[in-house]
Amino acid sequence: MIKFSLPPHQRENDAALRADLDVELNNLEAQGEVLLGLGKRVCMAPPTLLIDEETLVTSLQFIGDRAYLPLAHQALQTHQHPTTTILCPKSSNRDRIQAKLKTVGIRCLTVDQVMEKLPCYQTPTAQQLSGHQWQDPIFGQIAQESSVKGYLPTNQWQSQAERWQTIESQVHLDHLPAIQLLKLANGTFLWRGDGKIYEISPDVAHLAMFAIDQQVQFSLRLTWDEHLGRLDLRRTSLPRDYAQMVWRLSEPDLSHSRIRLVDAQNRARVAAALRKLGCELV
């Protein structure tokens, strides 16, 4: 869909198309609609209804697998069209709504519940690496024209995008033992640990980026205008749960979908979450 929405002269530019696809897929994951997995695999996210109000519920937003949307309408007796994603339940009691949705396999969360479950930044666990080992050296397994980048946070490179430095060859990589996180041109993420190479999912990689920032004491600095609630994420990828929370509590700026405008009532929540991730807000 993205490819054929582009002008004809842009459709043949594979690098630009891959970049557009990555941005759009990351945006969809931030919206809670898809999950990105190993090897650029994508699946629908679990069906979820989000509640803004804590006690009196007048409307809920449905995100995730649309196969469950008619069930949600049926369980909540909305009497709305089954494709409508903003649901107005017959009952306004939060506990009753959550109980009814649970019977049809749909979770229902408040913003505060999402905040409580935000994971801490961390490098990949043994369980996340198990069964995903790559053969080494990696330059023998990829096309010659493919680029490999390593994540190298320093004071010289302030943005997250700048911290991804190109690695020219296997010899170059072998001389950079401190670089643990790698990214291939097709978007695949790799982790170097215990003398081995492993493939990891984008979400695991994003959590690892912030963990590496803290290990080397070069926290990521995000442009944040607290007075206007304007957060610039154009050159930053957040872990899935953080991105979904920020997208839920903000609206896109007219100039770019990854510049987020946060309402005054939600600014403290967004700032607290980003600081938990180790970011500096400037």
Side-chain angles (χ1 to χ4, degrees):
M1 289 175 66
I2 295 170
K3 180 175 182 178
F4 287 102
S5 69
L6 297 174
H9 69 279
Q10 293 184 18
R11 295 179 189 173
E12 306 306 320
N13 188 335
D14 290 341
L17 179 59
R18 281 198 300 267
D20 285 339
L21 285 171
D22 283 343
V23 169
E24 292 302 323
L25 287 173
N26 284 330
N27 285 342
L28 284 172
E29 186 173 53
Q31 294 164 23
E33 297 292 0
V34 303
L35 299 179
L36 304 182
L38 296 174
K40 300 298 288 183
R41 296 180 180 90
V42 183
C43 69
M44 295 299 296
T48 304
L49 282 160
L50 300 174
I51 304 176
D52 285 325
E53 299 87 1
E54 289 300 313
T55 53
L56 185 63
V57 181
T58 57
S59 65
L60 307 93
Q61 180 185 5
F62 184 98
I63 58 174
D65 193 341
R66 294 297 190 272
Y68 287 79
L69 185 52
L71 285 175
H73 280 283
Q74 182 180 351
L76 299 181
Q77 298 177 288
T78 65
H79 303 296
Q80 296 170 272
H81 194 277
T83 60
T84 303
T85 56
I86 301 297
L87 283 69
C88 300
K90 181 179 180 180
S91 171
S92 60
N93 182 276
R94 188 188 71 181
D95 292 338
R96 189 174 301 170
I97 288 172
Q98 290 179 320
K100 286 185 176 182
L101 291 171
K102 187 176 180 180
T103 63
V104 292
I106 301 174
R107 62 181 182 172
C108 181
L109 301 172
T110 67
V111 172
D112 286 340
Q113 287 171 333
V114 173
M115 287 281 293
E116 290 172 3
K117 296 180 179 180
L118 290 176
C120 293
Y121 53 79
Q122 65 173 3
T123 54
T125 64
Q127 182 178 7
Q128 291 167 334
L129 299 177
S130 178
H132 302 295
Q133 186 173 345
W134 266 52
Q135 292 183 1
D136 204 14
I138 64 170
F139 277 85
Q141 303 177 63
I142 60 176
Q144 190 64 34
E145 64 274 12
S146 296
S147 65
V148 178
K149 293 187 176 182
Y151 190 69
L152 184 62
T154 71
N155 203 33
Q156 177 184 357
W157 299 305
Q158 293 296 326
S159 76
Q160 191 182 76
E162 290 175 321
R163 295 179 176 191
W164 285 103
Q165 295 294 302
T166 299
I167 298 174
E168 303 293 346
S169 65
Q170 187 66 42
V171 174
H172 186 192
L173 178 60
D174 291 340
H175 281 82
L176 297 170
I179 292 184
Q180 296 177 283
L181 184 59
L182 306 171
K183 181 170 64 174
L184 306 186
N186 65 2
T188 298
F189 289 96
L190 301 175
W191 180 259
R192 301 168 79 194
D194 301 324
K196 300 176 182 178
I197 303 285
Y198 302 89
E199 184 175 350
I200 57 176
S201 71
D203 192 51
V204 172
H206 293 150
L207 284 169
M209 280 191 282
F210 290 91
I212 294 171
D213 291 343
Q214 297 309 302
Q215 287 175 356
V216 297
Q217 299 182 3
F218 287 115
S219 297
L220 187 66
R221 306 181 75 188
L222 297 179
T223 302
W224 166 247
D225 186 332
E226 188 169 3
H227 178 68
L228 298 176
R230 189 176 187 271
L231 178 65
D232 191 345
L233 294 173
R234 282 176 293 181
R235 308 195 74 189
T236 304
S237 293
L238 298 176
R240 178 193 305 145
D241 292 337
Y242 287 86
Q244 290 180 5
M245 189 216 63
V246 171
W247 258 246
R248 176 60 179 163
L249 298 179
S250 65
E251 296 291 337
D253 184 79
L254 293 178
S255 63
H256 200 285
S257 64
R258 295 192 70 83
I259 297 177
R260 309 301 300 182
L261 301 177
V262 185
D263 288 339
Q265 62 183 3
N266 292 321
R267 288 170 196 169
R269 283 170 164 165
V270 169
L274 295 173
R275 290 191 178 103
K276 178 180 179 180
L277 200 51
C279 300
E280 290 184 22
L281 305 179
V282 297

